[in-house]
Amino acid sequence: MNPADLMRLRTVERTCELERMWQLLDPFRADLTQEQYDGLQRQYSRYHDRLVRREQDGTAAGVDAFERDLVSLVVGRLLEAESGRRGATPAARRLLTQLAGRAGPVAVPLTGLEFEPRCETWSPLTSLVRLRVSGSGFWELPVLAHEFAHCLITDAPAVDRAGAGGLREVRDEIARDLRSDGDLWWSDGAETDERRGRRAEELVADVFATYVLGFAYPACCMALRIASDGLDTRHEIHPSWRHRVWAMLQTMGQVSAQERTECTRWNDFPAEAEKQARELWRTLSGDDGHTMSQSERARLGLWTHRVTEVLNGFGTLRYAGSRRVAVLAGELETGRTRTAPPGRDTVADALNAAWQWRLSRHRTPDEVRDAVTYCLSRC
């Protein structure tokens, strides 16, 4: 056997492996929309054809990524079937479906499970949002709104309909601002245009998640994700948490102001939620943004305003809470839960009620478990 024969052998084996991986999806075919299935089938056919033609450039890496998404999707469906409506994975699908409906017309992303111990991710290859196996519970569902923003920015043509120019354009504007400012406080000294764009997109996704979920998103980040000694740590593609949370708080302030000026009936939920978020931030950081320079606060305020202007163009994305949040939070506090058909409340309402309840005072593990069970039954 010569080297060429060995390469052909390996290519044939990889082709057979890809076919086996594709067949894993068969039992879950009915769970996917036609659009979702067609998208996966296009990727399968693409890489299968490339293997048959023995194309080398990028084929192996692409097949690896596609197979990883397939396994993530299948395992997520298996665990969902096991847990039924009680689990957080079905709630994740419902949340993404509700967000897609509010942003529509937008395809609903797929969901799967991430096995590596890192944050949730979104795969542009298959439009798959991966949940962490170790963190896929009810309390971390707000992070899916951040990942959904990445999906919108990359995939959805609907983002371009807004009068302010679309989320992609705002992301690019922020990246240009960073470059023209010489990166200033944002940079770790090794910036490139690609990294500026990715950091800008993370900021846009934070503003989006806060805009569409309200208090639940910053509460989740501050309570579960941010270490008090890591507020100013800058990562390769993420701004520091201090800058990210400041943008979230600015977003909540802008939503509160819009509710005061645009609504005929007074809605005090956004203002109260903003107050609670700022108190939580002071507890975590010891300040209310005063450690940042004036230029930092001004820049973040301007960028946040640009993003919310675009989001206002969608009309139905802004989350301002509802009476149901107070009702659900009251039921959790008093323990006077009610039996009702599932789906009465949105996932966004359930998350906001649950986080308000949980952060109001110390809760025991039994109380937390009971609250999760009740909230999942309501949405």
Side-chain angles (χ1 to χ4, degrees), residues 36 63-64 96 152 172 248 319 365:
Q36 289 172 335
V63 171
D64 286 343
L96 290 172
L152 274 181
D172 294 343
M248 297 176 204
Y319 181 79

Side-chain angles (χ1 to χ4, degrees), residues 150 153 167-205 235-239 303:
H150 290 302
I153 292 169
L167 295 175
R168 276 190 290 264
E169 287 74 8
V170 174
R171 174 202 60 191
D172 294 343
E173 286 178 20
I174 295 173
R176 287 193 295 271
D177 285 348
L178 290 171
R179 185 171 57 248
S180 64
D181 286 347
D183 298 318
L184 297 176
W185 43 273
W186 196 270
S187 172
D188 60 3
E191 287 296 85
T192 63
D193 284 345
E194 179 184 4
R195 287 180 62 177
R196 290 186 193 96
R198 295 181 72 179
R199 286 181 185 232
E201 185 166 317
E202 292 297 331
L203 187 73
V204 171
H235 303 280
E236 183 176 351
I237 62 169
H238 289 87
W303 294 337

Side-chain angles (χ1 to χ4, degrees), residues 60-171:
V63 171
D64 286 343
F66 181 65
E67 290 183 344
R68 175 189 174 192
D69 285 357
L70 285 179
V71 171
S72 177
L73 173 62
V74 168
V75 172
R77 289 296 193 273
L78 286 171
L79 290 182
E80 181 175 338
E82 180 66 24
S83 64
R85 195 175 179 92
R86 303 184 310 277
T89 306
R93 292 178 63 187
R94 293 194 292 275
L95 175 59
L96 290 172
T97 299
Q98 290 165 9
L99 291 177
R102 288 162 61 188
V106 178
V108 179
L110 295 162
T111 57
L113 291 179
E114 173 64 78
F115 298 96
E116 298 179 22
R118 60 183 183 183
C119 294
E120 293 79 4
T121 56
W122 176 72
S123 170
L125 181 65
T126 57
S127 292
L128 174 78
V129 175
R130 300 192 195 96
L131 302 162
R132 293 187 305 147
V133 172
S134 59
S136 57
F138 173 79
W139 300 103
E140 296 195 353
L141 287 180
V143 180
L144 293 187
H146 176 103
E147 300 305 325
F148 182 73
H150 290 302
C151 177
L152 274 181
I153 292 169
T154 305
D155 268 1
V159 299
D160 295 321
R161 70 182 181 178
L167 295 175
R168 276 190 290 264
E169 287 74 8
V170 174
R171 174 202 60 191

Side-chain angles (χ1 to χ4, degrees), residues 273-284:
E274 180 192 359
K275 178 181 177 182
Q276 191 174 5
R278 290 188 180 278
E279 290 174 352
L280 181 58
W281 176 241
R282 280 192 291 270
T283 300
L284 182 66

